[in-house]
Amino acid sequence: MSTITKPKHIGRNISRIRELRDMKQEALAQALGTSQQAISAIENSETIDDSKLAEIAKVLGVSAEAIKNYNDEILLSVINNTFNSHDNSTLNAINIQPSFNPLDKVVELYERLVQAEKDKVEYLEKIIKEK
């Protein structure tokens, strides 16, 4: 039984790296002096010529080899194995634990609203009495 390895889809790799760089197709197209439709066509193609790949790699800030060998699993593995947080900031960013009671804040806002309405009524009564 033989296993046939599927060739790398260079266009998908370009698309994924572009997205990781938070770059839109329009921005990549502008940097390359081409149209957004051309970038879309490149990202949908399995292969790309080396000169065009080198241009794209330069704009994305990576090497052509990085685009050819890009793999989501490897990227996630690197992130998981190199990210260390020795404080609770990461946990707090994920699991929000406010230092106040949200219900207290709602009550406080309600009391301020009631006071503002009382002040408004008092002011209007004052204007009416003056007339």
Side-chain angles (χ1 to χ4, degrees):
M1 181 153 120
S2 68
T3 57
I4 301 171
T5 58
K6 190 175 175 183
K8 298 253 183 195
H9 195 290
I10 302 299
R12 280 194 205 118
N13 292 352
I14 292 170
S15 173
R16 188 69 180 119
I17 293 170
R18 176 185 55 76
E19 290 168 355
L20 288 170
R21 293 278 187 194
D22 199 25
M23 182 184 283
K24 296 196 179 275
Q25 284 183 339
E26 293 85 9
L28 182 58
Q30 186 176 13
L32 294 171
T34 187
S35 67
Q36 180 269 329
Q37 290 82 6
I39 298 300
S40 180
I42 289 170
E43 290 181 354
N44 287 319
S45 62
E46 284 190 33
T47 59
I48 195 169
D49 65 321
D50 289 337
S51 62
K52 193 68 170 174
L53 183 61
E55 290 177 47
I56 293 170
K58 185 177 180 183
V59 171
L60 291 175
V62 296
S63 68
E65 287 300 314
I67 293 175
K68 288 179 183 177
N69 298 323
Y70 176 80
N71 187 335
D72 279 329
E73 288 84 24
I74 293 172
L75 176 69
L76 292 173
S77 175
V78 168
I79 291 171
N80 287 334
N81 291 331
T82 59
F83 180 75
N84 290 321
S85 178
H86 299 291
D87 61 5
N88 291 333
S89 63
T90 306
L91 296 175
N92 289 338
I94 296 169
N95 185 11
I96 299 172
Q97 300 171 349
S99 60
F100 60 88
N101 185 349
L103 191 56
D104 288 342
K105 290 294 182 183
V106 171
V107 170
E108 181 183 323
L109 290 172
Y110 177 75
E111 288 172 349
R112 285 175 42 196
L113 178 64
V114 168
Q115 185 60 45
E117 289 298 317
K118 285 180 181 178
D119 292 345
K120 189 189 325 179
V121 168
E122 185 180 308
Y123 176 72
L124 292 172
E125 288 176 347
K126 180 181 166 187
I127 291 176
I128 291 173
K129 286 181 182 177
E130 289 176 359
K131 288 187 179 184

